[in-house]
Amino acid sequence: METPATAYLDEPHTPMLTEHPEPASGLQSPEPDTTTAAEKGVIEKQPVSRRRRLWRWIAFGCGALLAVALILGLALHFALLRRFDAPPVTTTKTPGSVVNTWVGGPVVASNFADPAFIEVNGIYYAFATNKYVNPHPGQVNIQIAVSTDFSTWNLMDIDALPHVGNWSTGSYVWAPDVVQLDDGTFVMYYSARHAIKLKRHCVGVATSKNITGPYTPQAQPVVCPLSAGGAIDPDGFHDADGSRYLIYKVDGNSLNNITGTTNPTPLMLQQVSSDDGFTLIGGPTQLLDRTKADGPLIEAPSMMRSTSGNSSVYVLFFSSNVFTTWHYDVSYATSTTGVKGPYIRSSQPLLQTGDDSGRLFGPGGLDVGVGGQKVVFHSGYDGHSIVRQLWTGEIAVDNTTVYI
């Protein structure tokens, strides 16, 4: 049956679509974007797993804790320095006068630990522990530095003590001191490891007609209390009445790892012959021992006698605590009743970490000259004690108080 023509007139008109239809109002429609994200260089965000998020938080937390620990550590470091810092005194008023005191250094930049000095014919000679942390082939046992003005010092390329006594292994030669007898002979006291008791030191003696040596050692040690831990840090003292003394430390802390306790480390005074400087007269006298505030030890004694009017004051310098820490210092005690004491401690150290505008670290081993004014000591380099440099200074004594 044929469809009537009028039927087409009743149906709505639907235009035919072409492949690219023309947009209305003459505008061209954008083409559909078929470029992939990878082709555009865009990295699609992938969903993060719960485990990965957990590790991210752990890493973030660890970093934050490390940052906080670093900040707290720095704050504690500077707080401790401020706590133990005593401002240096540059001038000291004594009765009727003003005495200049000072600290200067380092005057020897290399390792020059446990120094002692002596003035001979207007020239200053300083002696020190060997410069090696451990024994070294061809080592210099005792170093020497020389100065004509006490400010500029030069190391000498010699060993003052090429050989130690047969009683020693020849290693760990420490803390020398040199005195001059009335006949012009120079006597060197030193400490070194014992040949049998390898972990302990004894005090030896050597002599020379020349200040720079070479010094010839005696065959036997002069002081060797092995059962008490040995002896180190000898210092010679010549009193006004002509008597001579040897002061040393009993090295009791060398036994601490063996006994499991903190042993005494007394400073001892031993009279010696004025003729040779080392023959013992009588027995030793204890001058001072450590207290709780000193940590495990006191050491490095040096003595002077000061006269104020008709009275005499004996000043005993020493170091306390451990030289590898910033607690190490120079302290002193005084006696107004004679060389044998009793000695009364000063209320505060003479030198400590942070002094000299923060330049000193663990200052110690102070040695005072015959005149009782010039001193030498060592101080750690750059905040540690691996290198202990030589420093110099001048002190003043007013009754029982020492200033620097």
Side-chain angles (χ1 to χ4, degrees), residues 73-109:
L74 290 173
L76 178 61
H77 170 75
F78 289 110
L80 289 174
L81 284 181
R82 287 194 297 271
R83 165 66 179 83
F84 290 92
D85 180 17
V89 180
T90 55
T91 60
T92 301
K93 289 186 177 181
T94 57
S97 65
V98 175
V99 177
N100 290 325
T101 62
W102 55 269
V103 166
V107 295
V108 173

PDB file of all heavy atoms in Angstrom, residues 73-109:
ATOM      1  N   GLY A  73      70.702  20.099  71.926  1.00  0.00           N
ATOM      2  CA  GLY A  73      72.120  19.867  72.175  1.00  0.00           C
ATOM      3  C   GLY A  73      72.932  21.142  72.101  1.00  0.00           C
ATOM      4  O   GLY A  73      73.793  21.406  72.951  1.00  0.00           O
ATOM      5  N   LEU A  74      72.671  21.947  71.074  1.00  0.00           N
ATOM      6  CA  LEU A  74      73.383  23.221  70.959  1.00  0.00           C
ATOM      7  C   LEU A  74      73.051  24.137  72.124  1.00  0.00           C
ATOM      8  O   LEU A  74      73.930  24.824  72.676  1.00  0.00           O
ATOM      9  CB  LEU A  74      73.031  23.890  69.629  1.00  0.00           C
ATOM     10  CG  LEU A  74      73.588  23.223  68.374  1.00  0.00           C
ATOM     11  CD1 LEU A  74      73.022  23.890  67.126  1.00  0.00           C
ATOM     12  CD2 LEU A  74      75.116  23.300  68.363  1.00  0.00           C
ATOM     13  N   ALA A  75      71.790  24.171  72.511  1.00  0.00           N
ATOM     14  CA  ALA A  75      71.393  25.025  73.628  1.00  0.00           C
ATOM     15  C   ALA A  75      72.075  24.588  74.921  1.00  0.00           C
ATOM     16  O   ALA A  75      72.569  25.415  75.702  1.00  0.00           O
ATOM     17  CB  ALA A  75      69.870  24.991  73.793  1.00  0.00           C
ATOM     18  N   LEU A  76      72.137  23.258  75.145  1.00  0.00           N
ATOM     19  CA  LEU A  76      72.807  22.750  76.338  1.00  0.00           C
ATOM     20  C   LEU A  76      74.290  23.052  76.313  1.00  0.00           C
ATOM     21  O   LEU A  76      74.885  23.434  77.328  1.00  0.00           O
ATOM     22  CB  LEU A  76      72.583  21.240  76.442  1.00  0.00           C
ATOM     23  CG  LEU A  76      73.260  20.527  77.625  1.00  0.00           C
ATOM     24  CD1 LEU A  76      72.731  21.084  78.938  1.00  0.00           C
ATOM     25  CD2 LEU A  76      73.034  19.023  77.548  1.00  0.00           C
ATOM     26  N   HIS A  77      74.919  22.904  75.130  1.00  0.00           N
ATOM     27  CA  HIS A  77      76.352  23.175  74.998  1.00  0.00           C
ATOM     28  C   HIS A  77      76.680  24.605  75.418  1.00  0.00           C
ATOM     29  O   HIS A  77      77.562  24.858  76.241  1.00  0.00           O
ATOM     30  CB  HIS A  77      76.775  22.930  73.554  1.00  0.00           C
ATOM     31  CG  HIS A  77      78.170  23.399  73.246  1.00  0.00           C
ATOM     32  ND1 HIS A  77      79.298  22.735  73.666  1.00  0.00           N
ATOM     33  CD2 HIS A  77      78.614  24.487  72.557  1.00  0.00           C
ATOM     34  CE1 HIS A  77      80.358  23.372  73.265  1.00  0.00           C
ATOM     35  NE2 HIS A  77      79.982  24.439  72.585  1.00  0.00           N
ATOM     36  N   PHE A  78      75.952  25.565  74.864  1.00  0.00           N
ATOM     37  CA  PHE A  78      76.239  26.964  75.174  1.00  0.00           C
ATOM     38  C   PHE A  78      75.838  27.316  76.608  1.00  0.00           C
ATOM     39  O   PHE A  78      76.474  28.148  77.252  1.00  0.00           O
ATOM     40  CB  PHE A  78      75.537  27.884  74.178  1.00  0.00           C
ATOM     41  CG  PHE A  78      76.145  27.837  72.811  1.00  0.00           C
ATOM     42  CD1 PHE A  78      75.478  27.264  71.746  1.00  0.00           C
ATOM     43  CD2 PHE A  78      77.422  28.332  72.590  1.00  0.00           C
ATOM     44  CE1 PHE A  78      76.049  27.198  70.489  1.00  0.00           C
ATOM     45  CE2 PHE A  78      78.000  28.275  71.339  1.00  0.00           C
ATOM     46  CZ  PHE A  78      77.315  27.709  70.280  1.00  0.00           C
ATOM     47  N   ALA A  79      74.806  26.658  77.113  1.00  0.00           N
ATOM     48  CA  ALA A  79      74.419  26.906  78.500  1.00  0.00           C
ATOM     49  C   ALA A  79      75.498  26.442  79.458  1.00  0.00           C
ATOM     50  O   ALA A  79      75.820  27.115  80.443  1.00  0.00           O
ATOM     51  CB  ALA A  79      73.097  26.194  78.803  1.00  0.00           C
ATOM     52  N   LEU A  80      76.103  25.269  79.162  1.00  0.00           N
ATOM     53  CA  LEU A  80      77.177  24.766  80.015  1.00  0.00           C
ATOM     54  C   LEU A  80      78.399  25.656  79.950  1.00  0.00           C
ATOM     55  O   LEU A  80      79.072  25.897  80.952  1.00  0.00           O
ATOM     56  CB  LEU A  80      77.537  23.334  79.603  1.00  0.00           C
ATOM     57  CG  LEU A  80      76.484  22.276  79.955  1.00  0.00           C
ATOM     58  CD1 LEU A  80      76.886  20.924  79.368  1.00  0.00           C
ATOM     59  CD2 LEU A  80      76.303  22.173  81.458  1.00  0.00           C
ATOM     60  N   LEU A  81      78.722  26.149  78.757  1.00  0.00           N
ATOM     61  CA  LEU A  81      79.853  27.057  78.651  1.00  0.00           C
ATOM     62  C   LEU A  81      79.623  28.312  79.484  1.00  0.00           C
ATOM     63  O   LEU A  81      80.511  28.805  80.159  1.00  0.00           O
ATOM     64  CB  LEU A  81      80.104  27.432  77.186  1.00  0.00           C
ATOM     65  CG  LEU A  81      80.774  26.356  76.332  1.00  0.00           C
ATOM     66  CD1 LEU A  81      80.981  26.880  74.912  1.00  0.00           C
ATOM     67  CD2 LEU A  81      82.098  25.929  76.923  1.00  0.00           C
ATOM     68  N   ARG A  82      78.390  28.829  79.436  1.00  0.00           N
ATOM     69  CA  ARG A  82      78.099  30.015  80.240  1.00  0.00           C
ATOM     70  C   ARG A  82      78.153  29.688  81.728  1.00  0.00           C
ATOM     71  O   ARG A  82      78.617  30.471  82.539  1.00  0.00           O
ATOM     72  CB  ARG A  82      76.710  30.554  79.880  1.00  0.00           C
ATOM     73  CG  ARG A  82      76.657  31.235  78.525  1.00  0.00           C
ATOM     74  CD  ARG A  82      75.375  32.017  78.386  1.00  0.00           C
ATOM     75  NE  ARG A  82      74.198  31.181  78.430  1.00  0.00           N
ATOM     76  CZ  ARG A  82      73.644  30.622  77.362  1.00  0.00           C
ATOM     77  NH1 ARG A  82      74.179  30.800  76.170  1.00  0.00           N
ATOM     78  NH2 ARG A  82      72.563  29.877  77.491  1.00  0.00           N
ATOM     79  N   ARG A  83      77.685  28.470  82.070  1.00  0.00           N
ATOM     80  CA  ARG A  83      77.672  28.088  83.477  1.00  0.00           C
ATOM     81  C   ARG A  83      79.076  28.031  84.057  1.00  0.00           C
ATOM     82  O   ARG A  83      79.306  28.408  85.200  1.00  0.00           O
ATOM     83  CB  ARG A  83      76.990  26.717  83.603  1.00  0.00           C
ATOM     84  CG  ARG A  83      77.204  26.004  84.923  1.00  0.00           C
ATOM     85  CD  ARG A  83      76.551  26.742  86.075  1.00  0.00           C
ATOM     86  NE  ARG A  83      76.754  26.046  87.313  1.00  0.00           N
ATOM     87  CZ  ARG A  83      77.840  26.133  88.057  1.00  0.00           C
ATOM     88  NH1 ARG A  83      78.846  26.912  87.702  1.00  0.00           N
ATOM     89  NH2 ARG A  83      77.928  25.461  89.191  1.00  0.00           N
ATOM     90  N   PHE A  84      80.033  27.557  83.287  1.00  0.00           N
ATOM     91  CA  PHE A  84      81.368  27.358  83.812  1.00  0.00           C
ATOM     92  C   PHE A  84      82.353  28.417  83.330  1.00  0.00           C
ATOM     93  O   PHE A  84      83.562  28.247  83.449  1.00  0.00           O
ATOM     94  CB  PHE A  84      81.888  25.955  83.438  1.00  0.00           C
ATOM     95  CG  PHE A  84      81.183  24.871  84.176  1.00  0.00           C
ATOM     96  CD1 PHE A  84      80.068  24.251  83.637  1.00  0.00           C
ATOM     97  CD2 PHE A  84      81.601  24.482  85.424  1.00  0.00           C
ATOM     98  CE1 PHE A  84      79.408  23.252  84.322  1.00  0.00           C
ATOM     99  CE2 PHE A  84      80.953  23.481  86.123  1.00  0.00           C
ATOM    100  CZ  PHE A  84      79.857  22.869  85.568  1.00  0.00           C
ATOM    101  N   ASP A  85      81.864  29.494  82.779  1.00  0.00           N
ATOM    102  CA  ASP A  85      82.731  30.549  82.270  1.00  0.00           C
ATOM    103  C   ASP A  85      82.962  31.594  83.346  1.00  0.00           C
ATOM    104  O   ASP A  85      82.030  32.163  83.879  1.00  0.00           O
ATOM    105  CB  ASP A  85      82.088  31.201  81.037  1.00  0.00           C
ATOM    106  CG  ASP A  85      82.956  32.310  80.472  1.00  0.00           C
ATOM    107  OD1 ASP A  85      84.141  32.343  80.815  1.00  0.00           O
ATOM    108  OD2 ASP A  85      82.426  33.121  79.699  1.00  0.00           O
ATOM    109  N   ALA A  86      84.225  31.833  83.700  1.00  0.00           N
ATOM    110  CA  ALA A  86      84.574  32.902  84.627  1.00  0.00           C
ATOM    111  C   ALA A  86      85.284  33.989  83.833  1.00  0.00           C
ATOM    112  O   ALA A  86      86.314  33.727  83.223  1.00  0.00           O
ATOM    113  CB  ALA A  86      85.490  32.380  85.730  1.00  0.00           C
ATOM    114  N   PRO A  87      84.769  35.206  83.776  1.00  0.00           N
ATOM    115  CA  PRO A  87      85.378  36.254  82.963  1.00  0.00           C
ATOM    116  C   PRO A  87      86.824  36.495  83.358  1.00  0.00           C
ATOM    117  O   PRO A  87      87.164  36.513  84.541  1.00  0.00           O
ATOM    118  CB  PRO A  87      84.499  37.491  83.279  1.00  0.00           C
ATOM    119  CG  PRO A  87      83.214  36.924  83.766  1.00  0.00           C
ATOM    120  CD  PRO A  87      83.566  35.660  84.470  1.00  0.00           C
ATOM    121  N   PRO A  88      87.729  36.627  82.384  1.00  0.00           N
ATOM    122  CA  PRO A  88      89.139  36.852  82.694  1.00  0.00           C
ATOM    123  C   PRO A  88      89.354  38.202  83.354  1.00  0.00           C
ATOM    124  O   PRO A  88      88.697  39.183  83.040  1.00  0.00           O
ATOM    125  CB  PRO A  88      89.820  36.793  81.321  1.00  0.00           C
ATOM    126  CG  PRO A  88      88.731  37.125  80.357  1.00  0.00           C
ATOM    127  CD  PRO A  88      87.467  36.591  80.947  1.00  0.00           C
ATOM    128  N   VAL A  89      90.294  38.237  84.296  1.00  0.00           N
ATOM    129  CA  VAL A  89      90.648  39.477  84.977  1.00  0.00           C
ATOM    130  C   VAL A  89      91.939  39.997  84.366  1.00  0.00           C
ATOM    131  O   VAL A  89      92.934  39.284  84.300  1.00  0.00           O
ATOM    132  CB  VAL A  89      90.842  39.232  86.491  1.00  0.00           C
ATOM    133  CG1 VAL A  89      91.220  40.520  87.192  1.00  0.00           C
ATOM    134  CG2 VAL A  89      89.564  38.661  87.090  1.00  0.00           C
ATOM    135  N   THR A  90      91.958  41.231  83.909  1.00  0.00           N
ATOM    136  CA  THR A  90      93.141  41.779  83.251  1.00  0.00           C
ATOM    137  C   THR A  90      93.981  42.635  84.183  1.00  0.00           C
ATOM    138  O   THR A  90      95.162  42.810  83.969  1.00  0.00           O
ATOM    139  CB  THR A  90      92.732  42.621  82.038  1.00  0.00           C
ATOM    140  OG1 THR A  90      91.810  43.623  82.452  1.00  0.00           O
ATOM    141  CG2 THR A  90      92.055  41.747  80.993  1.00  0.00           C
ATOM    142  N   THR A  91      93.393  43.187  85.209  1.00  0.00           N
ATOM    143  CA  THR A  91      94.162  43.951  86.191  1.00  0.00           C
ATOM    144  C   THR A  91      93.734  43.559  87.587  1.00  0.00           C
ATOM    145  O   THR A  91      92.573  43.254  87.838  1.00  0.00           O
ATOM    146  CB  THR A  91      93.970  45.473  86.019  1.00  0.00           C
ATOM    147  OG1 THR A  91      92.581  45.772  86.188  1.00  0.00           O
ATOM    148  CG2 THR A  91      94.451  45.934  84.667  1.00  0.00           C
ATOM    149  N   THR A  92      94.680  43.539  88.491  1.00  0.00           N
ATOM    150  CA  THR A  92      94.419  43.137  89.860  1.00  0.00           C
ATOM    151  C   THR A  92      94.984  44.185  90.803  1.00  0.00           C
ATOM    152  O   THR A  92      96.162  44.542  90.700  1.00  0.00           O
ATOM    153  CB  THR A  92      95.085  41.781  90.160  1.00  0.00           C
ATOM    154  OG1 THR A  92      94.567  40.821  89.256  1.00  0.00           O
ATOM    155  CG2 THR A  92      94.794  41.350  91.582  1.00  0.00           C
ATOM    156  N   LYS A  93      94.174  44.659  91.698  1.00  0.00           N
ATOM    157  CA  LYS A  93      94.648  45.636  92.667  1.00  0.00           C
ATOM    158  C   LYS A  93      95.241  44.904  93.869  1.00  0.00           C
ATOM    159  O   LYS A  93      94.612  44.081  94.492  1.00  0.00           O
ATOM    160  CB  LYS A  93      93.503  46.541  93.113  1.00  0.00           C
ATOM    161  CG  LYS A  93      93.033  47.511  92.031  1.00  0.00           C
ATOM    162  CD  LYS A  93      91.999  48.480  92.569  1.00  0.00           C
ATOM    163  CE  LYS A  93      91.596  49.487  91.499  1.00  0.00           C
ATOM    164  NZ  LYS A  93      90.595  50.458  92.002  1.00  0.00           N
ATOM    165  N   THR A  94      96.479  45.212  94.183  1.00  0.00           N
ATOM    166  CA  THR A  94      97.121  44.701  95.373  1.00  0.00           C
ATOM    167  C   THR A  94      97.421  45.887  96.270  1.00  0.00           C
ATOM    168  O   THR A  94      97.367  47.043  95.827  1.00  0.00           O
ATOM    169  CB  THR A  94      98.427  43.966  95.018  1.00  0.00           C
ATOM    170  OG1 THR A  94      99.271  44.846  94.302  1.00  0.00           O
ATOM    171  CG2 THR A  94      98.128  42.752  94.173  1.00  0.00           C
ATOM    172  N   PRO A  95      97.717  45.665  97.531  1.00  0.00           N
ATOM    173  CA  PRO A  95      97.913  46.788  98.446  1.00  0.00           C
ATOM    174  C   PRO A  95      98.921  47.809  97.935  1.00  0.00           C
ATOM    175  O   PRO A  95     100.093  47.504  97.724  1.00  0.00           O
ATOM    176  CB  PRO A  95      98.410  46.103  99.723  1.00  0.00           C
ATOM    177  CG  PRO A  95      97.812  44.735  99.665  1.00  0.00           C
ATOM    178  CD  PRO A  95      97.812  44.380  98.198  1.00  0.00           C
ATOM    179  N   GLY A  96      98.451  49.005  97.667  1.00  0.00           N
ATOM    180  CA  GLY A  96      99.335  50.103  97.292  1.00  0.00           C
ATOM    181  C   GLY A  96      99.749  50.130  95.844  1.00  0.00           C
ATOM    182  O   GLY A  96     100.540  50.985  95.450  1.00  0.00           O
ATOM    183  N   SER A  97      99.239  49.202  95.015  1.00  0.00           N
ATOM    184  CA  SER A  97      99.688  49.202  93.622  1.00  0.00           C
ATOM    185  C   SER A  97      98.663  48.502  92.748  1.00  0.00           C
ATOM    186  O   SER A  97      97.737  47.855  93.225  1.00  0.00           O
ATOM    187  CB  SER A  97     101.047  48.510  93.485  1.00  0.00           C
ATOM    188  OG  SER A  97     100.924  47.147  93.826  1.00  0.00           O
ATOM    189  N   VAL A  98      98.841  48.651  91.436  1.00  0.00           N
ATOM    190  CA  VAL A  98      98.041  47.924  90.457  1.00  0.00           C
ATOM    191  C   VAL A  98      98.983  47.036  89.666  1.00  0.00           C
ATOM    192  O   VAL A  98      99.951  47.512  89.074  1.00  0.00           O
ATOM    193  CB  VAL A  98      97.293  48.885  89.526  1.00  0.00           C
ATOM    194  CG1 VAL A  98      96.562  48.097  88.449  1.00  0.00           C
ATOM    195  CG2 VAL A  98      96.307  49.742  90.314  1.00  0.00           C
ATOM    196  N   VAL A  99      98.727  45.753  89.662  1.00  0.00           N
ATOM    197  CA  VAL A  99      99.595  44.790  88.987  1.00  0.00           C
ATOM    198  C   VAL A  99      98.874  44.264  87.761  1.00  0.00           C
ATOM    199  O   VAL A  99      97.739  43.803  87.841  1.00  0.00           O
ATOM    200  CB  VAL A  99      99.971  43.625  89.926  1.00  0.00           C
ATOM    201  CG1 VAL A  99     100.815  42.600  89.185  1.00  0.00           C
ATOM    202  CG2 VAL A  99     100.700  44.155  91.149  1.00  0.00           C
ATOM    203  N   ASN A 100      99.511  44.343  86.610  1.00  0.00           N
ATOM    204  CA  ASN A 100      98.908  43.813  85.389  1.00  0.00           C
ATOM    205  C   ASN A 100      99.052  42.300  85.348  1.00  0.00           C
ATOM    206  O   ASN A 100     100.135  41.759  85.583  1.00  0.00           O
ATOM    207  CB  ASN A 100      99.587  44.428  84.171  1.00  0.00           C
ATOM    208  CG  ASN A 100      99.250  45.891  84.007  1.00  0.00           C
ATOM    209  OD1 ASN A 100      98.133  46.304  84.304  1.00  0.00           O
ATOM    210  ND2 ASN A 100     100.197  46.676  83.555  1.00  0.00           N
ATOM    211  N   THR A 101      97.966  41.623  85.047  1.00  0.00           N
ATOM    212  CA  THR A 101      97.987  40.181  84.842  1.00  0.00           C
ATOM    213  C   THR A 101      97.405  39.900  83.469  1.00  0.00           C
ATOM    214  O   THR A 101      96.592  40.669  82.963  1.00  0.00           O
ATOM    215  CB  THR A 101      97.166  39.453  85.911  1.00  0.00           C
ATOM    216  OG1 THR A 101      95.798  39.864  85.812  1.00  0.00           O
ATOM    217  CG2 THR A 101      97.685  39.764  87.311  1.00  0.00           C
ATOM    218  N   TRP A 102      97.831  38.809  82.867  1.00  0.00           N
ATOM    219  CA  TRP A 102      97.376  38.541  81.516  1.00  0.00           C
ATOM    220  C   TRP A 102      97.515  37.069  81.175  1.00  0.00           C
ATOM    221  O   TRP A 102      98.230  36.311  81.840  1.00  0.00           O
ATOM    222  CB  TRP A 102      98.144  39.378  80.497  1.00  0.00           C
ATOM    223  CG  TRP A 102      99.645  39.221  80.561  1.00  0.00           C
ATOM    224  CD1 TRP A 102     100.509  39.974  81.307  1.00  0.00           C
ATOM    225  CD2 TRP A 102     100.450  38.248  79.878  1.00  0.00           C
ATOM    226  NE1 TRP A 102     101.799  39.529  81.134  1.00  0.00           N
ATOM    227  CE2 TRP A 102     101.802  38.487  80.259  1.00  0.00           C
ATOM    228  CE3 TRP A 102     100.175  37.225  78.983  1.00  0.00           C
ATOM    229  CZ2 TRP A 102     102.853  37.717  79.773  1.00  0.00           C
ATOM    230  CZ3 TRP A 102     101.222  36.447  78.495  1.00  0.00           C
ATOM    231  CH2 TRP A 102     102.551  36.712  78.889  1.00  0.00           C
ATOM    232  N   VAL A 103      96.814  36.678  80.121  1.00  0.00           N
ATOM    233  CA  VAL A 103      96.896  35.350  79.527  1.00  0.00           C
ATOM    234  C   VAL A 103      97.065  35.535  78.034  1.00  0.00           C
ATOM    235  O   VAL A 103      96.374  36.350  77.424  1.00  0.00           O
ATOM    236  CB  VAL A 103      95.622  34.537  79.821  1.00  0.00           C
ATOM    237  CG1 VAL A 103      95.548  33.306  78.938  1.00  0.00           C
ATOM    238  CG2 VAL A 103      95.565  34.127  81.285  1.00  0.00           C
ATOM    239  N   GLY A 104      97.977  34.795  77.437  1.00  0.00           N
ATOM    240  CA  GLY A 104      98.206  34.933  76.002  1.00  0.00           C
ATOM    241  C   GLY A 104      98.493  33.597  75.349  1.00  0.00           C
ATOM    242  O   GLY A 104      99.139  32.728  75.924  1.00  0.00           O
ATOM    243  N   GLY A 105      98.016  33.453  74.130  1.00  0.00           N
ATOM    244  CA  GLY A 105      98.322  32.230  73.415  1.00  0.00           C
ATOM    245  C   GLY A 105      97.329  31.947  72.300  1.00  0.00           C
ATOM    246  O   GLY A 105      96.416  32.724  72.065  1.00  0.00           O
ATOM    247  N   PRO A 106      97.546  30.832  71.622  1.00  0.00           N
ATOM    248  CA  PRO A 106      98.640  29.893  71.866  1.00  0.00           C
ATOM    249  C   PRO A 106      99.976  30.422  71.323  1.00  0.00           C
ATOM    250  O   PRO A 106     100.007  31.028  70.260  1.00  0.00           O
ATOM    251  CB  PRO A 106      98.213  28.637  71.106  1.00  0.00           C
ATOM    252  CG  PRO A 106      97.339  29.155  69.999  1.00  0.00           C
ATOM    253  CD  PRO A 106      96.638  30.351  70.548  1.00  0.00           C
ATOM    254  N   VAL A 107     101.035  30.167  72.068  1.00  0.00           N
ATOM    255  CA  VAL A 107     102.371  30.592  71.629  1.00  0.00           C
ATOM    256  C   VAL A 107     103.115  29.447  70.953  1.00  0.00           C
ATOM    257  O   VAL A 107     104.125  29.679  70.275  1.00  0.00           O
ATOM    258  CB  VAL A 107     103.187  31.159  72.808  1.00  0.00           C
ATOM    259  CG1 VAL A 107     102.535  32.440  73.333  1.00  0.00           C
ATOM    260  CG2 VAL A 107     103.323  30.143  73.933  1.00  0.00           C
ATOM    261  N   VAL A 108     102.673  28.225  71.169  1.00  0.00           N
ATOM    262  CA  VAL A 108     103.097  27.068  70.372  1.00  0.00           C
ATOM    263  C   VAL A 108     101.815  26.394  69.914  1.00  0.00           C
ATOM    264  O   VAL A 108     101.020  25.909  70.728  1.00  0.00           O
ATOM    265  CB  VAL A 108     103.965  26.087  71.172  1.00  0.00           C
ATOM    266  CG1 VAL A 108     104.227  24.819  70.349  1.00  0.00           C
ATOM    267  CG2 VAL A 108     105.293  26.734  71.556  1.00  0.00           C
ATOM    268  N   ALA A 109     101.583  26.380  68.600  1.00  0.00           N
ATOM    269  CA  ALA A 109     100.302  25.914  68.060  1.00  0.00           C
ATOM    270  C   ALA A 109     100.196  24.396  68.008  1.00  0.00           C
ATOM    271  O   ALA A 109      99.090  23.859  68.000  1.00  0.00           O
ATOM    272  CB  ALA A 109     100.082  26.498  66.664  1.00  0.00           C
TER     273      ALA A 109
END
